[in-house]
């Protein structure tokens, strides 16, 4: 990713101003009797604002987050079977995304959960469906009518 020179100059000027501000605050802190908590709070707020600014301006615009509609329609029979097997709604979301061919990382992005949580849901699904692999889980769910 190539960053324009204008952005580099702006970041440099911003960093220089931040350093000047911090030095002025440090001088004021050592000379006067300000409380440490106030100084630390100001520094934390400044760094949080700069971090948020950098995060929003450096984010690549070509990154696409896969989308998934979590409110998939199910029939009453499917819902009863799901409850009988003890499969949660979130596990069904993971199962639908597995069937769509998404990786664990893509499923985590779609559902706003960690990759480890996706793995936990997957393992739980494997146990409830009595399978060992993701392809077996999708095949069995389709044969049971849980997913289409």
């Amino acid at each position: 990713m190539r960053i324009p020179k204008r952005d580099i100059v702006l970041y440099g000027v911003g960093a220089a101003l931040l350093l000047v501000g911090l030095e002025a605050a440090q001088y004021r802190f050592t000379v006067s009797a300000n409380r440490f908590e106030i100084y630390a709070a100001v520094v934390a707020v400044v760094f949080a604002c700069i971090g948020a600014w950098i995060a929003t301006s450096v984010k690549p615009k070509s990154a696409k987050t896969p989308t998934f509609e979590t409110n998939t329609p199910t029939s009453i029979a499917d819902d009863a079977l799901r409850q009988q097997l003890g499969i949660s709604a979130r596990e069904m979301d993971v199962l639908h995304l597995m069937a769509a061919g998404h990786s664990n990382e893509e499923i985590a992005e779609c559902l706003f959960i960690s990759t480890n949580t996706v793995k936990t849901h997957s393992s739980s699904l494997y146990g409830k469906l009595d399978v060992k692999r993701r392809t077996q889980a999708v095949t069995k769910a389709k044969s049971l009518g849980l997913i289409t």
Side-chain angles (χ1 to χ4, degrees), residues 22-121:
L22 286 174
E23 286 298 321
Q26 182 180 3
Y27 176 75
R28 179 146 174 91
F29 177 73
T30 56
V31 171
S32 65
N34 288 336
R35 300 184 111 170
F36 177 75
E37 292 84 7
I38 295 171
Y39 175 74
V42 168
V43 170
V45 168
V46 167
F47 276 104
C49 291
I50 289 173
W53 175 64
I54 289 173
T56 57
S57 63
V58 175
K59 181 179 177 185
K61 295 183 178 18
S62 64
K64 292 182 181 178
T65 303
T67 57
F68 171 68
E69 183 65 36
T70 57
N71 298 328
T72 53
T74 59
S75 68
I76 295 173
D78 294 344
D79 196 41
L81 178 61
R82 180 183 64 82
Q83 288 179 351
Q84 180 185 0
L85 292 172
I87 299 174
S88 70
R90 194 53 138 185
E91 290 169 344
M92 283 300 296
D93 293 340
V94 171
L95 185 60
H96 281 286
L97 287 168
M98 277 183 193
H102 293 290
S103 68
N104 285 346
E105 291 78 19
E106 291 171 333
I107 295 172
E109 284 181 34
C110 287
L111 299 178
F112 302 105
I113 57 177
S114 73
T115 307
N116 287 335
T117 303
V118 173
K119 291 176 184 177
T120 301
H121 286 312

Side-chain angles (χ1 to χ4, degrees), residues 2-15 53-54 56-58 61:
R2 190 167 181 211
I3 300 175
K5 289 181 182 178
R6 182 182 63 87
D7 288 346
I8 293 171
V9 171
L10 283 175
Y11 291 140
V13 169
W53 175 64
I54 289 173
T56 57
S57 63
V58 175
K61 295 183 178 18

